[in-house]
Amino acid sequence: MPLFTRSHPLAQQKATGETDSTAATETAAPPEPQGPPEAAEAADTSEQLETAEAAEAAGSAESAADSAEQSAQLPARAGWFGWRTRYPRTARAVGLGTTVLAGVLLIVALLVPDRLDRITLQSFFRFPVEAIVLAIVLLVLPAKARRIVAVVLGAFVGLSTVLKCLDMGFYQTLARPFDLVFDWVLLSDAADFLKDSVGRSGEVLAIVGVIVALIAVLAGSALAMVRLSDVMARHRPMAVRTTLVLGVVWIMCFTLSFQVGGVTLATKGYSTFLANRVQYVREGLGDADVFKKQLNVDAFAKTPPNQLLTGLRGKDVMFTFIESYGRVAIDDPTMAPEMDKTLAAGDARLKAAGFASQSGWLRSPVTGAGSWLAHSTFLSGLWVKNQQRYRTVTTSTRATLTSYFQKTGAWRTVGIVPGVRKAWPEGKYFGLDNIYDSTHLGYNGPYFSWTPVPDQFSLESFEKLEYGKKNRDPIMAEIILASSHNPWSPIAHTIPWSQLGDGTIFNQIKKEGTNPTEVWKSAKRVRTEYRKAIQYSVDSLTQWMQRYGNKNTVLVFLGDHQPVPTVTGGTSDRDVPITIVAHDPKVLDKISSWGWTDGLKPADNAPVLSMDKFRDKFMTTFAK
């Protein structure tokens, strides 16, 4: 559409005046004398020829004007209430500003990285080849098709911008991009997390804000593309020449790897981004068939129950996951001194109670979040890296480490899962005779942000509900400690076990805790609170072992994944510590060939085992 409509009232008046004047002159002029008939006929013929030529010229001019107008498809507009006519300079400035803003919006959409840590000022001073390609497409199309294609391309650029924003969030949380095939279900989990963190009202406001932003991005990018398309159509010769020149310049810069301030000027990053997304989708769509083949391979599927886990018969075995307990908690220079003290104190407690331990590393399939994927990987012996694999394995007959304990008939199998607050049908898959979620632990205290039950109380409930019973069968327990779950504020601290009661004592502890909104304003404070949460979980566990463990207790505890990049600094390392604690020296003797480190702290160079390999390694080691 035209930027504004020009009005020429003086020209119109002048033309009208000239017409009136001519008409008056012709009326006032005396009649010319009649000439001979031949002369009159010749004059008439001459006038007809001149009239025809004038009409032909006028017709050509009118046809050319109509053609130009039709090619631009831009009828004149006066704007709302005729403001373009009344304020032509303002209209011209607004039009120019709108065009520049549209161009900037599209260039930013093409250039913006999909990771927050890569967004710098230099990243926007680049020359995207996609802008040239879009200009060529819009220039070669006819008017009607051009407008439709501009809307479609603009909306597509907007959608890709939304995808980049999703990637930013996923990189900040999971250290990976958003998966267009598998990750949609995680958006509902994110909404639940918001509700738990900021309440129902905050969740609703956040969702409404996201929807409004989505519509604004799609509409804004589509309108921007249409705007630039119209401007190029009005100035087609100049647009064609400019596009050709820019194309040559891009080719030269790309060929010569020309850089400005260390940044390559010519880029095809947007095309690479789209190509990678297409490849991820193709791999995701084919992942189901690959995983189903792996699902049917189980070295112990045909092993008789009386030959399974015979090296642990009569022992109480606890598989305990500490949320977000990653390698960074032990290796990071700012956390290591305090964590070393906690681990050393834990070693001292265990030694005083007659226990010994050995530690190593596992490599988790996830980082930042996705605990359930790590748990199912550890227990199933399969690399469960996405939600589709999780659903596939939990609806299959694939046996887990815990279900093999159940299969023997030699253990009562239970689950302590305080992080579960609603129906959990997958629980049956893991072979647990009884599951205690957050509503069945007897806790009447407050939530600590996401965490429904503090770790110390969860362990005390396990003692009261199962472990402390007399004349019971050996127990195999899966225990998930959730106090070290993001956002790590506020966090509980250990208190005398005799004061736990029904958990109401934690009301005061929560009041004395930190505010997550304030904590998350500083990455340094986030790391500090994360470290304190891990210390609390480890202290709770080692104190419980000292207080309630006996000669038949075997504890396997591990982290499920590394914390979010805010804590890790964006490292791609997915290692988590794992420790086996036992009173009976024969248990640790069986793993002596694993190369693990004595104590709760694994050495830097201790072996790193893929988490999906642990199930078979453990069952093979304790098969006799």
Side-chain angles (χ1 to χ4, degrees), residues 205-500:
L205 288 175
I207 292 175
V208 171
V210 168
I211 294 175
V212 171
L214 175 62
I215 295 173
V217 170
L218 295 182
S221 58
L223 291 174
M225 190 72 74
V226 171
R227 176 73 184 185
L228 294 180
S229 173
D230 290 344
V231 170
M232 288 191 295
R234 284 201 301 272
H235 307 283
R236 182 181 178 81
M238 180 182 294
V240 171
R241 290 193 297 271
T242 303
T243 302
L244 290 175
V245 171
L246 292 178
V248 173
V249 171
W250 188 92
I251 293 174
M252 293 178 61
C253 291
F254 185 78
T255 304
L256 299 174
S257 299
F258 184 73
Q259 294 186 346
V260 176
V263 177
T264 303
L265 183 62
T267 177
K268 55 177 183 176
Y270 183 73
S271 300
T272 302
F273 166 77
L274 295 179
N276 289 339
R277 306 312 297 183
V278 171
Q279 182 63 28
Y280 292 157
V281 170
R282 292 178 60 185
E283 292 176 356
L285 294 176
D287 183 68
D289 293 334
V290 174
F291 188 64
K292 286 180 180 178
K293 293 179 180 178
Q294 299 172 353
L295 193 67
N296 297 322
V297 179
D298 188 346
F300 299 93
K302 298 182 179 179
T303 304
N306 61 357
Q307 297 180 20
L308 292 169
L309 300 162
T310 56
L312 292 171
R313 297 299 173 97
K315 305 295 185 186
D316 295 316
V317 184
M318 300 163 53
F319 294 101
T320 304
F321 296 93
I322 298 180
E323 171 68 36
S324 300
Y325 182 24
R327 186 165 193 152
V328 66
I330 295 175
D331 285 356
D332 187 270
T334 62
M335 303 185 204
E338 295 298 322
M339 276 302 303
D340 285 347
K341 294 178 182 178
T342 297
L343 296 175
D347 277 328
R349 291 190 197 102
L350 295 174
K351 185 177 181 180
F355 290 94
S357 61
Q358 290 188 5
S359 301
W361 302 104
L362 296 180
R363 181 151 297 148
S364 175
V366 293
T367 184
S371 303
W372 62 97
L373 303 180
H375 300 169
S376 53
T377 294
F378 179 83
L379 297 174
S380 71
L382 295 170
W383 194 250
V384 185
K385 62 180 181 178
N386 56 53
Q387 191 66 17
Q388 177 176 277
R389 288 192 170 201
Y390 177 76
R391 289 177 174 175
T392 300
V393 71
T394 54
T395 55
S396 72
T397 57
R398 168 84 178 192
T400 63
L401 182 55
T402 46
S403 64
Y404 273 126
F405 274 89
Q406 184 187 52
K407 184 179 179 180
T408 66
W411 283 273
R412 171 173 168 77
T413 58
V414 299
I416 306 295
V417 287
V420 175
R421 289 161 287 180
K422 55 186 178 180
W424 187 43
E426 299 93 333
K428 296 180 180 179
Y429 165 73
F430 292 102
L432 302 174
D433 297 327
N434 199 12
I435 297 175
Y436 299 93
D437 60 21
S438 61
T439 63
H440 293 86
L441 295 175
Y443 180 69
N444 292 318
Y447 275 39
F448 284 77
S449 289
W450 185 91
T451 307
V453 184
D455 292 347
Q456 188 181 9
F457 193 95
S458 295
L459 291 168
E460 179 69 10
S461 297
F462 170 59
E463 161 65 21
K464 292 178 178 179
L465 295 170
E466 291 285 348
Y467 196 82
K469 290 182 178 179
K470 296 180 179 180
N471 301 320
R472 59 169 176 77
D473 292 331
I475 289 177
M476 189 292 305
E478 177 188 353
I479 301 174
I480 300 175
L481 300 182
S483 288
S484 50
H485 192 288
N486 184 338
W488 310 298
S489 174
I491 54 177
H493 58 76
T494 54
I495 60 176
W497 292 78
S498 59
Q499 297 180 13
L500 288 171

Side-chain angles (χ1 to χ4, degrees), residues 42-58:
D44 292 339
T45 303
S46 177
E47 288 179 9
Q48 291 175 2
L49 290 174
E50 290 174 359
T51 301
E53 290 175 357
E56 182 178 358

Side-chain angles (χ1 to χ4, degrees), residues 12 15 29 80 120 143 169 177 201 219 233 247 338 428 504 554 592 598 600-601:
Q12 292 175 358
W80 289 345
T120 61
S201 299
E338 295 298 322
K428 296 180 180 179
T504 53
V554 176
S592 59
D598 290 337
L600 299 181
K601 180 183 178 181

